[in-house]
Amino acid sequence: MHPVDPRRQRRILSILVVSAILIWIDSTVLGIALERLADPVDGLGATPGQLQWALGIYSLFFATALFAAGALGDRYGHRTVLMLGMSVFGVSSAWAAWADGPVSLILARALMGIGGAMIMPTSMAIIGWVFPPERRAGAIAAWSASAGLGVAVGPVLGGLLIDHFWWGSVFLINLPIVAAGLIGAAHVVPNPRSPHKRRFDPLGLTLSTLGLLGVTYGLIEGGQSGGWGRWQVWGSIVAGVLLITAFLYSEWREANPSFDPRLFRNRRFAAGNVSMAALFLTITGQSFYITFYLQGARGMSALHAGLLSLPGAMGVVVGSAVGARLVRRFSVAAVSGTALAVFAACHALNLTFVVDTSLVWFGVVGAVAGIAIGTAVAPTSAAIMAALPMERMGAGSAVNNAIRQVGSVLGIAVLGTIVSNVYQDSIASSLTSLPESAREAAGGSAEATRRTAAALGRPELVQAANDSFIHSMHLAAATAAAIALVGAVVLILAFRTKPTPVGAPGAEMSAVPTEAAGPLEPERAG
């Protein structure tokens, strides 16, 4: 079943790592460009809502396209879909680099999300076919470790490019990686297909995409100057919830659904996914407002802001190793639950951040948060999969990945909207002396207020903008701390006792993960 020799296995894994780095770099590099994109002269003059869309639309389409990508790989070969995904990613990166407006950038990012969704599940399927069970865990660990490299390199390289070139250069990072990945995949990677082809689910894809778009649109639109009282806001949220409900109902009725909601009847599977959704929600939400804190309120360059992400990125690497060791001696509740509680405390410590906070203290909090993230993710992910029988692990893995991406979308929508709403309310009293047209132009964001202050020669408005933004950031951080703490409590309660052995009376579905995917067959020559 595994005719690939070890030397070729290593070459194949190196190509798959390259494709994974592509995803992780792109997931972090745009954040460092947000301040520049908001500039109407050097950027696109994007509003806070448009910036939220530029970040969130990627995760939204990534989440909803994951299942379709896996089904396409089963039918047409996983290398075929992998290469198609990398090609889509490269084309959309070039589109994003030369986007002529916020809408064009948002559309390019949506296409990038689809490309990313085609890369991730096909890479895992290829690893499952190429590596025998005794070597598979190590291959997956090496593939997953690319996340640390991408998260560390993305903001620093992006900051360096922004400081020396135009904002679109951050997307050009992807092009040589795509070229290397395509050449390597064509020459080295096999094209396995599954003999048990999953059903392509156009109805589920449509309902889930439109539902998430509706909820996200309503949440982001509520943070704009019109406020929450408009019918567009609540109508979109209600319509989105109804569509998602219809999606879950349609999947529940299917014998072999692409997204199986029945898995959530397993208490540990459900709790683990809730905790991971809370974690990724708060990570992405924080990454949104921290960019404006460093480059806007503190006036740092993009490169310096990118360098300040390194303690957190290195912390994730350290935490992953620590978590793997600790979970051998202690329970998931003790290890991951404590780590999530520490992560919640780090969000609470964001309330100590002001305009002149020591950067050493900022780095220490970031490093501790990174260690907590690394310590929590790996043991929790393994425990989520161990809660399922072997034949359900493929479906469970897809659901787990989708839930994380949905958490990322909601983090940007919810926490970003809190920052916008609170800032607009807080700055309003400082703008009363301005003419109505200037007041409207200045009130939407801290960046808009600073531009108005410079144009009118009103330096006191810069201080007011910074104070109002810090206040809005603190409320968002407090919300993030509460959400992360809820995730910790849910995880601890679900995993506080050892699972009943499989086959015992009253046992939950449980299994030790061995082979997550069914047998695959290589593409025949000719």
Side-chain angles (χ1 to χ4, degrees):
M1 287 181 62
H2 302 280
V4 182
D5 66 85
R7 183 180 300 176
R8 190 182 177 201
Q9 286 175 355
R10 289 191 293 270
R11 291 199 296 267
I12 292 169
L13 182 60
S14 67
I15 298 302
L16 299 180
V17 166
V18 167
S19 69
I21 289 174
L22 182 69
I23 294 174
W24 288 108
I25 286 180
D26 189 75
S27 69
T28 57
V29 75
L30 179 60
I32 211 71
L34 293 178
E35 183 76 20
R36 186 67 58 85
L37 286 167
D39 192 312
V41 177
D42 296 325
L44 297 178
T47 66
Q50 289 169 333
L51 294 176
Q52 285 175 269
W53 272 116
L55 282 173
I57 199 74
Y58 173 87
S59 295
L60 191 154
F61 276 86
F62 197 117
T64 57
L66 271 173
F67 303 102
L72 290 173
D74 289 345
R75 289 179 178 274
Y76 302 109
H78 290 285
R79 183 191 64 190
T80 300
V81 177
L82 172 69
M83 294 181 66
L84 179 60
M86 285 193 286
S87 299
V88 169
F89 211 96
V91 170
S92 54
S93 295
W95 180 9
W98 282 284
D100 58 0
V103 173
S104 180
L105 175 62
I106 291 167
L107 293 175
R109 290 283 294 169
L111 190 59
M112 291 171 76
I114 294 172
M118 298 171 78
I119 292 171
M120 180 173 284
T122 52
S123 296
M124 290 299 294
I126 292 169
I127 289 174
W129 182 80
V130 168
F131 290 87
E134 65 272 14
R135 299 193 63 191
R136 192 173 300 149
I140 293 174
W143 184 80
S144 301
S146 63
L149 178 61
V151 170
V153 169
V156 176
L157 187 55
L160 184 65
L161 289 171
I162 289 172
D163 283 350
H164 292 85
F165 302 100
W166 90 110
W167 62 266
S169 61
V170 300
F171 294 109
L172 299 184
I173 299 171
N174 300 332
L175 299 185
I177 301 176
V178 166
L182 287 173
I183 293 171
H187 288 84
V188 177
V189 177
N191 196 26
R193 305 182 188 190
S194 173
H196 308 291
K197 296 175 174 58
R198 281 174 280 177
R199 179 180 61 89
F200 186 69
D201 185 12
L203 176 62
L205 178 64
T206 302
L207 289 174
S208 59
T209 302
L210 292 178
L212 281 174
L213 280 171
V215 171
T216 305
Y217 176 83
L219 290 172
I220 292 176
E221 190 67 17
Q224 307 314 303
S225 57
W228 289 89
R230 292 166 296 153
W231 68 267
Q232 300 98 315
V233 173
W234 292 108
S236 297
I237 293 174
V238 170
V241 170
L242 290 175
L243 287 168
I244 292 172
T245 302
F247 163 70
L248 295 175
Y249 177 73
S250 70
E251 296 297 295
W252 190 284
R253 289 171 56 88
E254 292 288 340
N256 296 295
S258 56
F259 181 99
D260 193 350
R262 289 177 290 250
L263 294 174
F264 288 88
R265 293 185 296 188
N266 182 301
R267 179 171 58 90
R268 289 175 175 243
F269 181 84
N273 275 289
V274 167
S275 66
M276 288 295 96
L279 176 66
F280 280 84
L281 186 155
T282 54
I283 289 172
T284 54
Q286 184 195 47
S287 69
F288 182 78
Y289 60 74
I290 283 294
T291 294
F292 296 106
Y293 166 68
L294 293 175
Q295 296 184 51
R298 300 195 62 142
M300 299 179 67
S301 69
L303 177 58
H304 288 162
L307 289 171
L308 281 173
S309 70
L310 288 177
M314 294 299 100
V316 171
V317 176
V318 172
S320 297
V322 170
R325 289 179 176 272
L326 289 178
V327 81
R328 296 172 189 166
R329 299 183 56 189
F330 305 102
S331 68
V332 173
V335 176
S336 295
T338 301
L340 281 172
V342 171
F343 184 62
C346 290
H347 278 293
L349 289 175
N350 285 185
L351 273 67
T352 66
F353 294 167
V354 293
V355 174
D356 57 354
T357 295
S358 167
L359 294 181
V360 173
W361 173 242
F362 181 89
V364 168
V365 174
V368 173
I371 292 172
I373 293 169
T375 304
V377 170
T380 304
S381 299
I384 289 171
M385 299 313 299
L388 300 176
M390 186 174 66
E391 67 271 11
R392 302 301 294 145
M393 287 184 186
S397 176
V399 170
N400 185 27
N401 284 324
I403 290 295
R404 293 185 188 192
Q405 295 298 327
V406 171
S408 298
V409 175
L410 294 179
I412 295 165
V414 173
L415 297 184
T417 294
I418 289 174
V419 171
S420 294
N421 279 155
V422 175
Y423 178 82
Q424 290 162 13
D425 290 342
S426 179
I427 196 64
S429 60
S430 300
L431 304 178
T432 53
S433 62
L434 296 181
E436 183 177 354
S437 59
R439 187 163 62 246
E440 291 179 358
S445 67
E447 288 66 39
T449 306
R450 294 188 195 104
R451 288 195 299 269
T452 301
L456 299 179
R458 297 283 299 273
E460 74 278 5
L461 290 181
V462 174
Q463 183 62 46
N466 290 342
D467 291 342
S468 295
F469 175 81
I470 294 296
H471 173 59
S472 66
M473 182 183 75
H474 285 171
L475 285 182
T479 304
I483 293 171
L485 186 59
V486 168
V489 171
V490 168
L491 189 72
I492 291 170
L493 291 177
F495 288 89
R496 66 185 186 279
T497 58
K498 292 184 178 180
T500 308
V502 177
E508 287 190 82
M509 292 185 294
S510 179
V512 177
T514 52
E515 293 198 41
L520 295 171
E521 57 184 17
E523 185 180 58
R524 301 281 196 275

